[in-house]
Every structure is written in C-alpha cells, then in structure tokens.
Amino acid sequence: MRICIVVGTRPEIIKMSPIIRECENRGIDYFMIHTNQHYSYTMDRIFFEELQLPEPKYNLEIGSGTHGVQTGKMLMALEKTYTKEKPSLVLVEGDTNTVLAAALAASKCHIDVGHVEAGLRSFDKTMPEEINRLLTDHLSSNLFAPTEVSKKNLTNEGISEDKIYVVGNTIVDATLYNLKIAKTRSKILDQLNLAENYYFLLTLHRQENVDDKKRLESIITSLEEIESKFDIPLIYPIHPRADKMMKEFGLKSRLEGIPGIKLIEPVGYLDFLVLEKGAKLVLTDSGGVQEEACILNVPCVTLRYSTERPETVSVGKNVVVGVEKDDVLKGVIGILDKELSPENPFGDGKTGQKIVDILV
Ligand code: UD1
Ligand code: UDP
C-alpha cells in the first residue's frame, strides 16, 4: 500500500495532521501533495510549522483562481504526479476544490480514493462545498463518516454500507492534542489584552456571505447591533477572501468603525484554539469552527441558512440564524441563556488512528 495524502487549504492541513502524524509514527509508505490552494503564510506555512508536519513531497503551486481555472489546473498537475508516483490510494479531507480535484484525478487514473469527513450535507447545492462533497463521496471507495448522521446521508444516496466507516472527526484529535500545547505556548490573550469569557470571536469567509454585498452589509449591521447591545470586544481574524471583498464593496471602513471590533490577521492554530476556548461566544460561517466550538463547549452562532454539521445543533451548542440582524441578535441572546451539555458528537480523539488502522 502506498498512500498519497493531498492537502490544499487551512482546514485540510489541520484535519489531516492527526493522520499524517499516525503515518509518520507507524512508518507507513506515504507521501504528501500540497496543491497550495492556500499559500499566504497565515493560511498555509504557519500550520506546517506549528503542527510540526513534514514537508510535502510535491507543492503544485496552484494558488487562487475561478473555480474552473483552479480545479482544472489542479486536475492536470495531480494526474501528472499520480502517474509518476503510482500511489495505491489517494486520501483527501473535506470539501474544497483541492478535494474534488484530487478525487477526480485519482479515479480517472484508476486509483482508490479515501474520503475523510464523508457524508456531510447542507442540502444546499448553491454552495461550492456541497458539490465538492457530493462528487467526492461518490468517487470514493473508503468513506470515513464522522457520525451516524453522515453515514445515513451516504446510504440515502445509494452508497453501499460496506464502504462506509463511522470513525468520528479528526478535528477532535487535532483540537485536544493542540489545545494542551496551546495553553502553554500561546500569548494571544495578553497580546490582545483580553480577559477569558469577556469577548466574542468572529470568523467569516463563506463565498455566499462575503461575495454578496447585501449579505455582507446585513452581517455588518448585525455586528453593529451586537456591539451596541453587549458592549464587549469582538475579535475578528479576517480571512483573506473576506478582507478582499470588504475592500471591494467599500465596507471595510464601516466594519473598522464598529466600536470594540478588533480586526487581526488570521492567526495560527494554537492562538486560534486559545481564542476559541476563552470566548464567551463564537460567531462564524466556518465548518471547522462550528465543530471546534462544540468540542470546546463554547456557544456558537452560525451566520448561515444551513449547516452540514447538524449534530452541533442537536446537542444544543450551535444555532443557525442566517444573516438578518434581528435573527442574529435573538440567536446570540438565546444561546447565551442556555446551559450547555458537555456532549461531543464527533468522537473520542482517536479518529486518525482508526482511519489508519482501517487503511492498513
Ligand atoms: C476555500 C474553500 C472553502 C474553505 C476555505 C477554508 C473552495 C471552493 N473553498 O475557500 O470551502 O472553507 O478555503 O479557509 O475550495 N487568498 C489569499 N491567500 C490564500 C488563499 C486565498 O489571499 O492563501 C484569497 C485570494 O484572494 C483568493 C480568495 O482568498 O481569491 C479565495 O480563495 P479560495 O482558495 O478560492 O477560496 P477560500 O475562500 O479560501
Ligand atoms: N483557524 C485558524 N486561524 C484562524 C481562523 C481559523 O487556525 O484565524 C482554524 C480553525 O481552528 C479551524 C479551521 O481554521 O480548525 C477552520 O478553517 P476555515 O474556517 O478556514 O474553513 P472551513 O472549516 O469552513 O472549511
């Protein structure tokens, strides 16, 4: 068995890290390809450094582009690399363009595909991620579903049960492992002059939110409302896509004008975990952040109209509120009033080991 692990973006690097570590420890024949879909230091290298990951054998240097250009360039480069290296299995994680390209190129080369985080569904096909997930799942021969909910989504689509393994999500492994390290190393709360449980944390980058001026304006209005009601610092490590669109729509100065908002560059994983753990509440449209907030027992308000992580809502730690100010405010007040249960639906932190056990 020769495994090829493909990564391309921030969440893939983080969520693949437990599997990479497991492959290293067991001396498994594997190599890594990085498409470099993410390439800025704070979206890419910082994670290799902090998570102490080995260098990828190949960096395809694809970078940004429209969906077609980016995916097409990846397909060409990946096919060439697979043909040279002849892996017996390509392993991908999540729902990005990197994931779809890696799975599609592999299946055209008659190489088996393993999909980590299989079976998530928002049931909203206007999201690029939903298309990527659906297609990748149907191209895969090993589907690593985090929960029974995701397994059911797969069987409902006619995917055979014998290809599906319910193993939890590697984000639990990554969160638990790195939080311990983060607590001793991160100085972010002091650097930002923050007191635990006395700030809100925000992330925002989803295409349907930040590329749509009306929705972005509505989110900013909601933030203004929250700020005036709660009078609490709001920390926002801004994703480069959101930063670009805020500037393009002329909205950045309005965002910066919100009293109490602190816009910072995206931070590394250790600082981010500490920021999440210490937050009174998280506002987000990220997939991984919904999961981490749930694992860390921090209330989460999701600024979207659907979620592919319904388990976070079922256990009462996440509310999906959309982007209208009254709904956002109601969601924030509602979840802050609740007692959170410590239940974590995403596994015991041994998902990486389980996946490698199954592959071996
Ligand atoms: C991608 C994924 C999304 C995932 C997110 C994680 C797809 C379709 N989208 O979205 O599912 O949630 O990554 O963060 O695959 N940019 C930089 N530096 C970088 C990367 C991007 O400046 O290192 C800027 C560029 O202006 C680029 C824009 O961000 O055009 C969008 O990047 P892209 O990789 O297309 O999508 P993301 O929004 O990052
Ligand atoms: N994250 C980080 N620094 C930040 C913001 C997020 O390390 O400034 C981490 C976060 O802990 C989570 C992951 O990035 O593990 C989520 O990635 P993102 O929101 O970009 O993508 P998604 O999960 O929505 O695909």
Side-chain angles (χ1 to χ4, degrees):
M1 183 180 64
R2 180 161 164 71
I3 300 176
C4 169
I5 293 179
V6 183
V7 296
T9 67
R10 167 169 79 183
E12 294 159 67
I13 302 166
I14 294 169
K15 286 178 170 175
M16 258 321 176
S17 66
I19 298 179
I20 296 168
R21 191 165 301 115
E22 202 59 29
C23 287
E24 286 281 326
N25 291 345
R26 296 198 201 184
I28 282 172
D29 182 12
Y30 89 100
F31 67 99
M32 206 191 324
I33 301 178
H34 186 7
T35 63
N36 229 198
Q37 176 173 342
H38 283 174
Y39 46 86
S40 302
Y41 176 76
T42 52
M43 298 298 289
D44 170 28
R45 275 257 45 96
I46 193 167
F47 299 101
F48 283 89
E49 291 169 9
E50 282 192 350
L51 301 170
Q52 297 183 312
L53 297 174
E55 279 303 305
K57 185 164 182 188
Y58 296 91
N59 186 324
L60 306 180
E61 295 181 1
I62 304 293
S64 303
T66 61
H67 287 281
V69 167
Q70 191 179 52
T71 314
K73 279 187 185 170
M74 286 176 191
L75 274 174
M76 292 196 293
L78 285 161
E79 181 185 61
K80 209 163 138 189
T81 318
Y82 296 159
T83 306
K84 180 168 169 226
E85 289 282 343
K86 299 190 178 25
S88 50
L89 178 100
V90 166
L91 200 59
V92 293
E93 190 289 326
D95 54 21
T96 65
N97 286 346
T98 292
V99 172
L100 175 61
L104 186 54
S107 65
K108 299 259 182 192
C109 295
H110 305 290
I111 300 166
D112 278 348
V113 178
H115 187 199
V116 180
E117 208 177 72
L120 274 63
R121 295 290 181 270
S122 67
F123 303 101
D124 175 1
K125 282 194 189 153
T126 63
M127 291 179 70
E129 292 84 3
E130 184 75 353
I131 305 295
N132 292 343
R133 290 179 200 117
L134 259 164
L135 295 175
T136 303
D137 283 336
H138 285 264
L139 293 168
S140 298
S141 50
N142 298 272
L143 294 105
F144 299 108
T147 67
E148 291 295 335
V149 174
S150 33
K151 178 177 176 177
K152 188 90 179 52
N153 289 334
L154 296 169
T155 52
N156 284 348
E157 289 170 14
I159 294 179
S160 160
E161 252 191 82
D162 56 13
K163 294 182 185 171
I164 307 169
Y165 306 89
V166 178
V167 290
N169 195 311
T170 54
I171 194 66
V172 182
D173 314 24
T175 301
L176 300 182
Y177 180 85
N178 290 292
L179 185 62
K180 269 191 255 150
I181 302 171
K183 277 183 175 160
T184 61
R185 290 213 202 133
S186 170
K187 309 255 179 299
I188 191 81
L189 296 184
D190 286 345
Q191 280 162 4
L192 297 177
N193 202 15
L194 294 171
E196 262 183 50
N197 215 24
Y198 194 73
Y199 62 90
F200 291 170
L201 177 67
L202 167 71
T203 83
L204 200 69
H205 73 281
R206 205 60 51 207
Q207 178 179 301
E208 64 272 20
N209 277 340
V210 303
D211 288 20
D212 178 332
K213 188 174 181 201
K214 261 183 87 179
R215 264 172 89 153
L216 201 47
E217 278 175 325
S218 190
I219 291 172
I220 296 176
T221 306
S222 307
L223 298 175
E224 289 166 343
E225 194 74 8
I226 288 172
E227 214 293 322
S228 74
K229 170 110 187 123
F230 289 92
D231 190 23
I232 191 169
L234 187 60
I235 312 307
Y236 180 15
I238 190 163
H239 188 289
R241 178 185 205 115
D243 196 40
K244 184 177 75 176
M245 297 315 296
M246 295 269 184
K247 286 178 187 149
E248 216 167 292
F249 292 142
L251 291 170
K252 185 133 184 223
S253 51
R254 190 173 148 200
L255 182 77
E256 285 167 337
I258 301 175
I261 198 153
K262 198 159 185 63
L263 277 180
I264 56 174
E265 286 286 305
V267 294
Y269 194 45
L270 302 181
D271 283 343
F272 195 76
L273 282 175
V274 167
L275 280 174
E276 264 180 313
K277 179 73 190 149
K280 187 172 182 63
L281 173 123
V282 169
L283 293 144
T284 194
D285 62 7
S286 157
V289 174
Q290 288 175 67
E291 291 160 350
E292 284 165 351
C294 183
I295 296 160
L296 297 169
N297 244 14
V298 175
C300 180
V301 174
T302 296
L303 304 170
R304 288 172 44 187
Y305 288 95
S306 63
T307 181
E308 57 294 310
R309 276 95 175 165
E311 300 88 342
T312 57
V313 178
S314 309
V315 297
K317 293 193 249 191
N318 185 14
V319 279
V320 180
V321 298
V323 299
E324 296 299 329
K325 79 169 179 354
D326 292 345
D327 301 328
V328 177
L329 202 60
K330 215 168 115 198
V332 168
I333 294 168
I335 202 157
L336 282 176
D337 269 352
K338 268 175 83 173
E339 184 83 31
L340 299 192
S341 97
E343 196 181 343
N344 160 25
F346 297 115
D348 56 5
K350 297 199 167 81
T351 299
Q353 288 174 32
K354 285 179 198 159
I355 289 173
V356 176
D357 282 344
I358 291 163
L359 292 177
V360 168

